[in-house]
Amino acid sequence: MSDIKPILEVRNLRVEFPTRRGLLVALDDVSFSIAPGEVLGVVGESGAGKSMTGAAIIGLLEPPGRIAGGQILLEGRRIDNLPYQDLRRIRGREIGAIFQDPLTTLNPLYTVGAQLIETMVTHLPLNPAQARAKAIEWLELVGIPAAAQRIDSYPHEFSGGMRQRVVIALALCAEPKLIVADEPTTALDVSIQAQVIALLKRLAREKGTAMMLVTHDMGVIAETADRVAVMYAGRIVEIGAVRNVVKHAAHPYSSGLMGSIPPVSRRLDRMQQIDGAMPRLSAIPKGCPYNPRCPKVFDRCMVERPELMPAEGNLAACWLYADGAPAAEAKHHG
Amino acid sequence: MADATPMLETRDVARFFDVSRPPLQRLLAGEGKRMLRAVDGVSFSIPKGTTLSLVGESGCGKSTVARLVVGLYSPTRGSVIFDGRDLAEARADSTQRRRMQMIFQDPYASLNPRWRVRDIIAEPIRAFGLSKDKAEIEARVGQLLTQVGLSPLDGAKFPHEFSGGQRQRISIARALSSNPEFLVCDEPTSALDVSVQAQILNLMKDLQQRLGLTYLFISHNLAVVRQVSDRVGVMYLGRLVELAPAETLFETPRHPYTRALMEAIPDLDMTGRQRIPVGGEVPSPINPPSGCPFHPRCPLANDRCKAEIPAMMPARGTPQTLVACHAVEEGRDRMGAPLVEAVG
Amino acid sequence: MARTQGAMARFLDSDIWYSFTRSPITVASAIVAFICIGGAVLAPWIAPHNPFDLASLQLMDAFKPPAWTEEGDPTYWLGTDDQGRDVLSAIMYGARVSLLVGFCAVLLSVSVGITVGLAAGYIGGTTDAVLMRIADIKLTFPTILVALLIDGVVRAALPREVHDQIALYVVIFAIGISNWPSFARTVRGSTLVERNKEYVQAARVIGLSRSRIMITHVLPNVLGPVLVIATLNLGFAVLAEATLSFLGVGVPPTQPSLGTLIRIGNDFLFSGEWWITIFPGIALIVLVLSVNLLGDWLRDALNPKLR
C-alpha cells in the first residue's frame, strides 16, 4: 500500500463557515488518501460533512465556506491554494465530478455529443472528428444503446438512468485521475442503481482511476468501495477496509450505523436504533462529538477529543481503543 | 381480529390523469388526448390491525394509490371501501373521516412553516370538534408529543427548529391526534437518515401494537418493507403484479419483476455474490407496453406476454401468493433458479 | 406580554433584521422614508403653518423665496407660493394626501390581487383560466390610461360638486384597480407551489374546506412576495397619483397632493419662482426612491437564492 503513490491525499483538512452567529467548523482534521484504481467510500448522515469534503476537493465550496487549514494534494501537488482559473482546468482534466442530479451537470442547450466532444477536445490532443468517434465509444461503454444515433440527442431526451450514464461518460472522457462522485445513484431507482454502480466500479478499475464515492447508502458502499471512511459531525470517526468496517465496525457510531440498516434477509422484532440526532455544527459537544448518543461513553470522552487510532484492524477516533480504556467492553460489541 | 370486515378494500381501482397539452396546441399538432394511467386496476384488502405495504419504483403508482384511499384523488374506475362503506360516503361523515389519517414523505414540506407545533398537532382535534376546551387540547397535545418521543415543551416551537426525524415525529403526532384507526404512510422514512429511520420505524411499530392501528405502508425500500409488513404488494406501471404474505414474498418471490428487485438490492452481508442486474428501464405510463407491462424487460417473456395482460391468480407452489404472470401460471418461471443466467 | 417580548426578541435575532442592519443604504432609506411618512402623517401637528387655513394666508407673503436666499423670510424655510402658502407645510400636507392615496390604492390592489390569485391558483381549471385571462387583458392597458378613463367616466356621469367630493376615492379606485394583476400573478404562482406541498394535503385529508385551507394554510405562506410587491407598488401608486394630479385629473385642488403642487408650481417655473415646483418635486423623488429601495432590499432579504 505504502509503496504506491496515492492519487489524492487530504491532510488535516479544515473547512470553516463564518456566520453572524460565529464560526462554524464544517470539516475538522479530515485526512485520507486514495490510491490509483481504488474506490474510497465516504458515508455518514446528512450534515456529517461528506459532500462538503468532495466539494472542497473539487474546489466548489459554497461561499462563505472556505478551506481554513490543511492540504489537498493531487499526485503530490497542492491544489487547495490554486487560483480559480488553474483549479478549473484541473477540475475538467484531472478531476471528474458526478453529482446526484444529472440535470445539473448536463447543459440542456447542447446535445450530449457536443458536450462530450467539447470536453475531450479541450483536454485531450484530439481533433473534433476523432473526439466524436471517441464520444460514441464512451456512450457505448457506459451502456447507451444505439450510441451512434443517440449522440445527437439532447439531455432531456434521455431517461434518468440514461442521463446519469451520460454524466459518467462526461466525467470519465477526459480520462481524469480522480473521480469525485457525490450520491451518484441516489436519484435512481433500485434496479437502475445496480447497473450504474456496476458500471462505475468497472470503469474505475479498468482505467486505474481513483474514486471518492460519497453516499449515505451503505449498500452501495459495500458493493463498490475498497475502503470506507465514516464521517460524523465534520470528522472522520472510522476508516478502514470496507469489509472490516461493515462487518466489524470499531467505533460505536459506525457499528450503530451498520446496525440500524434494516436487513432484507430477515425480519427483526425491533430495529437497532441510535437515539437522538447528530448535533448541529453550532452546538458540537466538547470532547468526542458522539458522546451524547454513545452507549459506551466514559469520562474521558466528555473532556478530550479522540484522534484516529488503530482499532480492530481499522482506524477509529474512539477512546475505547486507547491505553487505559475500559478494556473488557472494547473487545465485545457490534 | 374478531371483526372480519377489512379496514380498507380496493376493487379494481384505477386513476388516470389527463396530461394532454392545451386544446389549441393539441389541435395544431393534430394529436389526441394523452392519458397517464397512474393506477390501472388495483385490488387488495387490509384486515384490521395489520400492515399492507406497496413497493415499487418511482412512477409505479404506489403514491397515487395512497392518495386514492384517503380521498385526495377520486378513482377513475373501481371503488375504495373503508370499513364496509364506500369511501366517498365515509369521507362525507366527519366521524368516519377522523378514523383515517396520512403521514407524508417530506418532513420539510408536511408541516406548515408558519404554525407552531402545538397548533399543527391540535388542528385535527379542532377540525373534528373532538374538544373545545383549551386546557384539554393543550393536555392532549402534550400527551401526543410525549407519545412520539418529544417533549410537551416542544409545542411552542416552530417546525424549522427541528431535525428531519423530529419533524416526522410531529407529523405522526398530528396524524394520531384524531384517534385514527387507519394510517396511510407514504414513504415515511425515505427522506431520513438510516439511524433516524430505525427510530421512526420502531415508533410506528410500537404505536401499532399499542393503539391497534392498521397501516397502508408505501415504500420503495424492500428492506424497510420487510421489517414492517404483514402482507406486501409489488406494483409495476400502475398495476399490482404480486401480492403475498411478507415472509412468503421475501423467501419465494414469484413475479420476475419482484425477483429482479430483490436481485438489485446491494448485498451488505458481503458474500461476494455477483449480482446480475435486470436491464432496461421502466417504460412511460402514458404509453405502457402491450400485454404484460413488464415484458420488454422480462427474461421469461414470450409471445403471449406481449399480447395478453396477465390476471392476478394464486401461484403454483405458493398458493398464498397472488401473481400476475403467464410464466408462473405456465410453470416456466425457473422457480428457485437465478432469473438471469450468468453469461460468460 | 411575555409573548410579545418573545416575538420582539425573535425579530431582533432574525435573519431579516440582520440583513437590514448590514445594509447602510437600506438603513438610510428606512430613516428617510420614516421621516417622510412621519412628517406627512403628523403634518397637522408639526407643520409650521396651515396652508389651507385661509384666515392665516396673506397675499403679502406670496412668492417669498427660500429662507437662505437674500429675500428669504426665516418663517418660510422653503419659501411661499403664489397665494402665500408655506411651501414646506404644503409639501407635508401634500405628501399626506399622496401617501393616503398610495396606501389605499395598494391596499385595494392587494385585496383584489390576493383574492383572485388564491382562487385561481388553488381552484385551478376553468376558474384559473378565466381569472388569469382577465388579468392579462388588464395588464395590456397602461395604468394612466385606465385612470384617465375611469376619471373621465365619473366626471361625465356626476355633477361637478359630487365629483369633487368623491374625487379622492375615484383616484384611489383608478390606481388600485389597475395594479392588482401583478399581485394576482405572484400569489397564483406561490399558491401553485404551496397547494402541492404535503401540509396542504394533510389538511385536505382532515377534510377542511377549500376556503379554510386557502386562508389558514396557503395565505400565510404566500404573503412574503406580496409584501415585497406592495412596497414597490406604493412608490408606483404615489407616482401615478402625482402624474394624474399633474395632468389635472387627480385629487381636487382643495386637497392638493404632491402632484398638484408640482403642477401649480410648474406655471411659475419660467418666471423665476423655481422653489414652488422644485421642492415638491424633490420631496416626491425622495419619498418614492426611499420606499423603492426598501422594497428592493425586502425582495433580496426574503429571497434566499439571492443572498
Side-chain angles (χ1 to χ4, degrees), chain C residues 178-196:
Chain C
S178 56
N179 277 339
W180 65 264
S182 56
F183 291 95
R185 289 184 151 210
T186 310
V187 170
R188 174 179 174 268
S190 315
T191 304
L192 285 178
V193 175
E194 296 297 323
R195 66 169 281 191
N196 286 326

Side-chain angles (χ1 to χ4, degrees), chain B residues 67 91 97 106 109 112 123, chain C residues 198-199 201 206 217 221:
Chain B
R67 281 159 177 72
R91 296 236 359 126
R97 202 163 62 222
D106 183 357
N112 188 336
E123 187 182 29
Chain C
E198 290 170 344
Y199 70 88
Q201 295 187 15
I206 297 170
H217 283 289
N221 287 293

Side-chain angles (χ1 to χ4, degrees), chain A residues 7-8 10 13 27 30 32-35 37-43 49-58 72 95-98 177-184 200 204 209-215 221 224-225 227 229 231 236:
Chain A
I7 298 270
L8 176 78
V10 175
L13 180 67
L27 289 182
V30 169
F32 60 85
S33 63
I34 312 178
E38 186 185 37
V39 179
L40 175 77
V42 179
V43 280
K50 51 191 196 306
S51 291
M52 198 165 299
T53 311
I57 291 168
I58 49 184
I72 301 170
I95 306 179
I98 302 171
K177 305 195 173 76
L178 171 71
I179 295 172
V180 176
D182 189 351
E183 306 272 7
L200 260 180
T209 316
M211 180 153 83
M212 176 174 162
L213 176 65
V214 174
T215 177
I221 296 276
T224 323
R227 283 190 306 138
M231 293 194 70
I236 292 180

Side-chain angles (χ1 to χ4, degrees), chain B residues 146-226:
Chain B
T146 317
Q147 196 166 36
V148 297
L150 295 170
S151 149
L153 295 175
D154 288 332
K157 296 184 187 163
F158 285 94
H160 69 85
E161 297 172 62
F162 296 90
S163 68
Q166 289 171 317
R167 287 181 201 217
Q168 209 55 313
R169 289 173 190 267
I170 296 169
S171 272
I172 294 173
R174 168 179 61 194
L176 293 177
S177 71
S178 66
N179 303 316
E181 291 151 49
F182 176 49
L183 276 186
V184 175
C185 315
D186 184 12
E187 304 257 13
T189 63
S190 57
L192 306 175
D193 285 314
V194 269
S195 68
V196 180
Q197 166 173 283
Q199 294 174 12
I200 298 296
L201 292 176
N202 281 335
L203 173 66
M204 289 178 56
K205 279 181 154 186
D206 290 349
L207 291 170
Q208 180 167 40
Q209 271 180 4
R210 205 164 345 137
L211 307 171
L213 299 169
T214 308
Y215 287 140
L216 173 62
F217 192 93
I218 310 290
S219 179
H220 69 277
N221 186 332
L222 283 166
V224 166
V225 162
R226 176 146 211 187

Side-chain angles (χ1 to χ4, degrees), chain A residues 13-49:
Chain A
L13 180 67
R14 181 181 170 95
V15 168
E16 292 176 349
F17 275 76
T19 74
R20 66 186 176 99
R21 293 179 208 281
L23 194 69
L24 298 183
V25 182
L27 289 182
D28 196 7
D29 207 6
V30 169
S31 304
F32 60 85
S33 63
I34 312 178
E38 186 185 37
V39 179
L40 175 77
V42 179
V43 280
E45 296 176 80
S46 44

Side-chain angles (χ1 to χ4, degrees), chain C residues 57-109:
Chain C
L57 288 185
Q58 286 178 316
L59 274 179
M60 292 276 293
D61 290 339
F63 296 123
K64 289 234 189 265
W68 60 86
T69 57
E70 268 176 41
E71 298 159 52
D73 182 333
T75 46
Y76 304 111
W77 290 352
L78 301 181
T80 59
D81 66 2
D82 57 325
Q83 295 174 44
R85 292 186 292 208
D86 175 35
V87 171
L88 176 63
S89 305
I91 289 174
M92 289 170 81
Y93 277 85
R96 192 174 152 88
V97 176
S98 292
L99 279 170
L100 178 74
V101 173
F103 271 118
C104 294
V106 169
L107 210 61
L108 181 67
S109 311

Side-chain angles (χ1 to χ4, degrees), chain A residues 44-46 159-162 165 189-192 194-195 216 218-220 222-223 242-243 246-247 257 260-277 280 293, chain B residues 57-58 160-163 193-199 201-202 205-206 220 222-224 226-230 247 250-251 261 264-270 275 277-282 297:
Chain A
E45 296 176 80
S46 44
S159 67
M162 287 295 154
R165 288 163 191 265
D189 279 322
V190 238
S191 65
I192 319 294
Q195 303 168 13
H216 69 281
M218 267 321 292
V220 170
E223 290 243 311
V242 67
R243 199 184 174 83
V246 171
K247 293 236 171 187
L257 191 66
S260 58
I261 300 168
V264 77
S265 53
R266 61 193 182 281
R267 182 181 168 125
L268 307 171
D269 272 346
R270 198 175 168 76
M271 265 169 287
Q272 192 183 326
Q273 65 179 52
I274 309 177
D275 289 329
R280 294 185 181 200
R293 302 172 76 186
Chain B
E57 297 175 276
S58 55
H160 69 85
E161 297 172 62
F162 296 90
S163 68
D193 285 314
V194 269
S195 68
V196 180
Q197 166 173 283
Q199 294 174 12
L201 292 176
N202 281 335
K205 279 181 154 186
D206 290 349
H220 69 277
L222 283 166
V224 166
R226 176 146 211 187
Q227 304 309 315
V228 298
S229 321
D230 295 302
E247 284 312 296
F250 283 96
E251 291 308 324
L261 277 183
I265 300 169
D267 178 16
L268 252 189
D269 292 338
M270 317 268 305
R275 293 194 287 132
V278 167
E281 295 194 27
V282 186
R297 300 173 72 187

Side-chain angles (χ1 to χ4, degrees), chain C residues 238-276:
Chain C
V238 168
L239 273 184
E241 182 277 327
T243 312
L244 288 175
S245 299
F246 187 81
L247 294 173
V249 292
V251 295
T254 48
Q255 287 168 290
S257 68
L258 287 177
T260 325
L261 294 176
I262 295 169
R263 188 194 73 215
I264 295 169
N266 197 35
D267 297 342
F268 306 103
L269 187 60
F270 293 107
S271 54
E273 288 86 14
W274 51 271
W275 58 90
I276 306 178

